[in-house]
Amino acid sequence: METSSFFPCDTHQFYQAHLGFKPLTSNKIYQVHMNVSLIEKVMEDTHIEFSKSKMKNLYLLIDGLYLNDAQGDPQHFCDFVEDTLELLSDSTTLKSFSLYCAFTHDSSEMGQCIDTVLERGFLELNLLFEDTHCLDVESFTSNTLVKLSLCDFYLEFEPPPGGVFFPKLKKLSLVQVEFTSHEIYDAFISGCPVLEEFFLHNHDDYINFPAWNGTVESLSIKRLTISYHWPHYPKGHKGFCLFDTPSLVYLDYSSYAAEDYQVKLGSLVEATLDIHSWERLPDDYYYYEDGDTVDIVGDVTNLVAGISNVKTLHLSADSLEVFHSCCKSIPVFPNLVTLSFESDKERGWQAVPLLLNSSPNLETLVIKGLVHEVTEKCGDACACIPKRDKRKRKRTKTEKGVCCLSTCQVKVLNISGYQGSCGELKQMRHFLGNLKCLETVKVDVEVDQGKDVKRYMRITNALMKLPRVSSNCQIHV
């Protein structure tokens, strides 16, 4: 994906990609850098006859306004924003407002601009700043906003009378947003009574401290995305993480494992987990406050139990490891139909047989990459045998129980990132020789057909020749 220069750092590239904030380019009409007088001067120079009233009528056709201070004099940018909003004060079509600031502006002047925007009655508001900006507004409320996105803000305000900030807000996105206190954060979330989608991205920037208190409490939220990474400051993950969201149907959670979890996820249908282990970090990786050291042993037992009713589960390679090392027991997943996970050459598959044995109704298995760390605890879901364990495996072969794959009801196996190595082919042989209910196998071969036709044909031919325990199994590459 092409990245516009409008987003000059990684955080803002992330914001653009995931939140849909529209980049501004010089050839777009909706990037407003000129005021009306400048436009009139251009028309004068080109002998275009156009009245000021007609020019204003043209502006009234705009449905979305996107302003940034990347061009022109940033000192007068706040005045320009106010003038532009005044020009469009009679518009009935203007629904969304997006503001990007590459420069630092006077807090009170910018606060006045945002006050004006909130009073204007927009349905959608996107505010993106290059550096963390203190939001100094008189009343951070709106009775019309349906979608709000904030990036790089320090929010300092008191809850409004009655405690409701945005009575109609349905989608909220917070990227690197810091609150004056955890209590203000809690009040802010509870002050959005009909909120349905909440996106929070808060990553270690080596300067500030964590802004999220690890809790999300809402009766209305249906989709929740949390990306919270503070490996240099383990105190930010100490204690428990709370998801009290009984209406939630989709969870996307990426973080280091907290010490404990308290969850209410009774309606959850789909979950995507990217949970990292503290043990993978070197001992000198943390920085400490006042020389105080903090040791965290994550425990995801309650979180795993809380998501056990999902129908679709996506796991990163790190999550697989955490499920094995930081989970006391794997519960039964009675409704799980689709399980997908990623592999990494430095992460093992120890949790895979546990998950397969705990998913009696699993129908679709999706694996991104078959190459993983070879361990003696991958079980019979894996064809790998550590060198030191080969003789022992031979001796105990007759004592082995039923392979976990042979009891699976999996009908669809989807493999991506396949490169045709001996280990990968061996794993595919293991799958096809044990999954008795297989009907469809889809393999995405990661080889350029145009540049290496012979290798591609060699890989696909080897796959097609593999024996299959299921007579109904069809392989598609």
Side-chain angles (χ1 to χ4, degrees):
M1 182 183 66
E2 291 185 5
T3 303
S4 168
S5 59
F6 175 67
F7 296 91
C9 68
D10 291 341
T11 298
H12 302 115
Q13 292 172 8
F14 175 91
Y15 193 91
Q16 173 190 351
H18 293 268
L19 303 187
F21 196 103
K22 299 180 181 179
L24 307 183
T25 54
S26 58
N27 62 339
K28 297 291 185 181
I29 295 176
Y30 54 70
Q31 183 178 9
V32 183
H33 289 301
M34 299 182 295
N35 58 26
V36 175
S37 60
L38 180 56
I39 294 175
E40 289 175 344
K41 184 179 186 304
V42 172
M43 291 191 297
E44 267 182 34
D45 294 341
T46 53
H47 305 289
I48 297 176
E49 294 185 5
F50 215 83
S51 67
K52 190 170 184 178
S53 60
K54 287 183 179 180
M55 188 68 230
K56 185 171 182 178
N57 289 336
L58 180 62
Y59 269 89
L60 296 180
L61 298 176
I62 298 173
D63 62 353
L65 190 61
Y66 307 87
L67 307 180
N68 75 52
D69 62 356
Q71 298 179 11
D73 184 1
Q75 288 186 339
H76 301 290
F77 180 67
C78 291
D79 293 333
F80 167 69
V81 174
E82 293 276 4
D83 292 343
T84 304
L85 290 172
E86 175 63 27
L87 178 68
L88 297 169
S89 59
D90 295 331
S91 173
T92 58
T93 60
L94 191 58
K95 306 298 182 184
S96 67
F97 181 86
S98 298
L99 180 68
Y100 166 73
C101 290
F103 297 91
T104 301
H105 299 277
D106 181 80
S107 181
S108 61
E109 289 184 4
M110 183 54 66
Q112 185 176 346
C113 282
I114 295 174
D115 279 331
T116 303
V117 170
L118 292 171
E119 293 170 1
R120 178 63 180 75
F122 290 101
L123 300 180
E124 178 181 347
L125 175 60
N126 304 294
L127 301 176
L128 172 62
F129 282 71
E130 174 70 11
D131 297 310
T132 301
H133 186 87
C134 180
L135 184 58
D136 181 13
V137 295
E138 291 185 7
S139 179
F140 194 54
T141 63
S142 169
N143 292 324
T144 59
L145 272 185
V146 176
K147 179 181 177 182
L148 173 63
S149 301
L150 302 176
C151 181
D152 273 337
F153 270 95
Y154 179 79
L155 298 180
E156 184 175 7
F157 48 72
E158 294 296 326
V164 178
F165 287 90
F166 303 104
K168 294 184 179 180
L169 193 69
K170 291 188 175 182
K171 186 172 183 179
L172 173 63
S173 300
L174 303 178
V175 177
Q176 301 298 88
V177 172
E178 184 177 356
F179 292 83
T180 52
S181 67
H182 294 326
E183 289 75 20
I184 292 297
Y185 160 79
D186 291 333
F188 186 71
I189 300 302
S190 62
C192 305
V194 298
L195 188 63
E196 295 182 356
E197 296 184 43
F198 181 29
F199 180 102
L200 185 143
H201 175 88
N202 193 228
H203 281 210
D204 194 340
D205 58 8
Y206 297 89
I207 300 174
N208 298 308
F209 291 106
W212 184 49
N213 64 355
T215 68
V216 179
E217 295 183 82
S218 171
L219 296 175
S220 60
I221 292 179
K222 296 179 181 179
R223 295 181 65 85
L224 176 62
T225 300
I226 300 289
S227 184
Y228 181 70
H229 288 247
W230 285 81
H232 284 86
Y233 191 73
K235 279 187 177 181
H237 296 264
K238 194 169 178 62
F240 66 86
C241 183
L242 171 66
F243 295 135
D244 187 357
T245 50
S247 300
L248 196 70
V249 295
Y250 175 79
L251 171 65
D252 185 344
Y253 174 60
S254 177
S255 182
Y256 281 81
E259 285 189 315
D260 193 12
Y261 290 85
Q262 297 178 14
V263 299
K264 292 182 181 179
L265 302 168
S267 302
L268 198 64
V269 175
E270 181 176 357
T272 298
L273 301 181
D274 176 32
I275 307 176
H276 298 254
S277 170
W278 292 98
E279 295 180 359
R280 284 285 178 177
L281 295 175
D283 293 337
D284 59 351
Y285 192 76
Y286 313 140
Y287 64 73
Y288 305 106
E289 191 175 15
D290 299 327
D292 185 19
T293 61
V294 178
D295 292 325
I296 291 184
V297 178
D299 188 347
V300 299
T301 305
N302 290 334
L303 175 62
V304 176
I307 66 168
S308 60
N309 284 322
V310 295
K311 293 183 178 180
T312 302
L313 179 61
H314 310 279
L315 299 175
S316 67
D318 283 288
S319 292
L320 274 183
E321 183 176 66
V322 167
F323 270 43
H324 168 69
S325 61
C326 302
C327 187
K328 296 173 183 176
S329 62
I330 299 293
V332 175
F333 287 79
N335 304 320
L336 191 63
V337 176
T338 300
L339 171 64
S340 71
F341 62 85
E342 298 178 3
S343 299
D344 186 284
K345 63 181 180 180
E346 297 181 354
R347 303 290 186 271
W349 275 16
Q350 297 96 320
V352 174
L354 300 175
L355 286 166
L356 294 179
N357 284 327
S358 301
S359 308
N361 296 305
L362 188 65
E363 295 183 359
T364 300
L365 182 60
V366 181
I367 306 176
K368 184 178 180 181
L370 295 177
V371 179
H372 59 279
E373 183 182 36
V374 178
T375 74
E376 58 185 20
K377 295 183 179 180
C378 287
D380 48 21
C382 173
C384 303
I385 300 176
K387 291 181 179 179
R388 67 177 183 275
D389 202 35
K390 283 185 177 179
R391 291 182 180 178
K392 183 179 178 182
R393 286 287 184 94
K394 273 188 176 180
R395 291 197 301 268
T396 60
K397 188 174 181 180
T398 57
E399 302 172 11
K400 288 173 62 178
V402 178
C403 175
C404 68
L405 296 177
S406 64
T407 60
C408 278
Q409 304 300 308
V410 171
K411 297 178 181 179
V412 178
L413 176 63
N414 194 333
I415 306 295
S416 62
Y418 187 81
Q419 297 183 345
S421 68
C422 291
E424 289 172 298
L425 185 63
K426 186 178 181 180
Q427 184 63 49
M428 287 302 299
R429 185 187 298 274
H430 187 62
F431 281 142
L432 296 176
N434 287 283
L435 291 170
K436 298 179 180 179
C437 299
L438 264 187
E439 297 177 2
T440 302
V441 176
K442 300 177 182 178
V443 182
D444 178 20
V445 179
E446 204 171 74
V447 174
D448 191 335
Q449 297 184 49
K451 294 182 178 180
D452 201 343
V453 178
K454 289 184 178 180
R455 184 186 173 203
Y456 178 82
M457 294 303 297
R458 185 171 64 249
I459 291 173
T460 56
N461 288 337
L463 282 171
M464 300 303 290
K465 291 178 181 178
L466 289 175
R468 311 160 203 179
V469 69
S470 171
S471 58
N472 297 322
C473 179
Q474 298 293 322
I475 300 178
H476 305 275
V477 293

